[in-house]
Amino acid sequence: MTISPRQPVRQLRLVVEAEDYDAALAFYRDVLGLPQRAAYAQGDDERVAILDVGHATLEIANPAHKRAIDDVEVGRQVAGHLRVAFEVDDAAATTDRLVDAGAELVAPPTRTPWGSLNSRLDAPAGLHVTLFQELGGEEGVPPGVRTEAGPDGSAGTVRT
């Protein structure tokens, strides 16, 4: 398999349908603090806002890994097929702020074996959310876990 030197996908955009659009927009834009890049309306009831989340990744996990992360972060299986994770500077304070704004706390900030502080929330628009704070400044690898090489032989190389 040949990999193009130019990354073929320029942006990840997760599209979420929110029955209560105004409440969801206020939660993610105003409380979590995601800057609004654009917003559009057509007629009286068709609206969309595009919020900037900074750097985006798509994490593909097999069922065993999904269960393992649920066990570490929550202590039981709670996440559905999709979980949205936001890296924040202060997981504890952000968790408190989001709970005060209406998110349901699933698990409080918990130190993980890979050196981050993670919490879980059920948030507006039906999203199951992880907030994570990298305590060592960057993502770590826990003892007993190996890195796997990508198709070009690199392990974890990120191209921007």
Side-chain angles (χ1 to χ4, degrees), residues 61-136:
N62 71 7
H65 181 75
K66 180 213 161 280
R67 287 189 303 272
I69 298 303
D70 272 358
D71 287 343
V72 166
E73 293 182 1
V74 183
R76 67 187 190 285
Q77 300 305 294
V78 294
H81 178 73
L82 177 69
R83 175 175 53 89
V84 179
F86 296 103
E87 182 177 3
V88 297
D89 290 333
D90 187 334
T94 304
T95 298
D96 290 344
R97 197 169 70 246
L98 297 185
V99 167
D100 289 345
E104 181 182 327
L105 182 66
V106 175
T110 303
R111 187 179 179 98
T112 68
W114 49 90
S116 63
L117 188 64
N118 296 22
S119 66
R120 288 283 188 96
L121 305 154
D122 283 328
L127 292 181
H128 189 72
V129 171
T130 293
L131 297 178
F132 68 100
Q133 173 186 351
E134 297 297 354
L135 299 175

Side-chain angles (χ1 to χ4, degrees), residues 2-88:
T2 304
I3 297 176
S4 168
R6 194 180 76 111
Q7 190 168 349
V9 176
R10 299 179 46 88
Q11 180 182 155
L12 169 67
R13 189 169 288 181
L14 177 65
V15 180
V16 178
E17 178 184 5
E19 287 295 324
D20 189 340
Y21 173 85
D22 291 320
L25 181 60
F27 182 87
Y28 293 104
R29 182 190 61 200
D30 305 335
V31 180
L32 184 56
L34 302 179
Q36 183 171 305
R37 290 179 62 188
Y40 305 101
Q42 182 172 337
D44 290 332
D45 47 303
E46 185 182 322
R47 297 170 61 203
V48 65
I50 300 167
L51 306 179
D52 192 340
V53 296
H55 179 79
T57 60
L58 178 61
E59 185 173 320
I60 306 294
N62 71 7
H65 181 75
K66 180 213 161 280
R67 287 189 303 272
I69 298 303
D70 272 358
D71 287 343
V72 166
E73 293 182 1
V74 183
R76 67 187 190 285
Q77 300 305 294
V78 294
H81 178 73
L82 177 69
R83 175 175 53 89
V84 179
F86 296 103
E87 182 177 3
V88 297

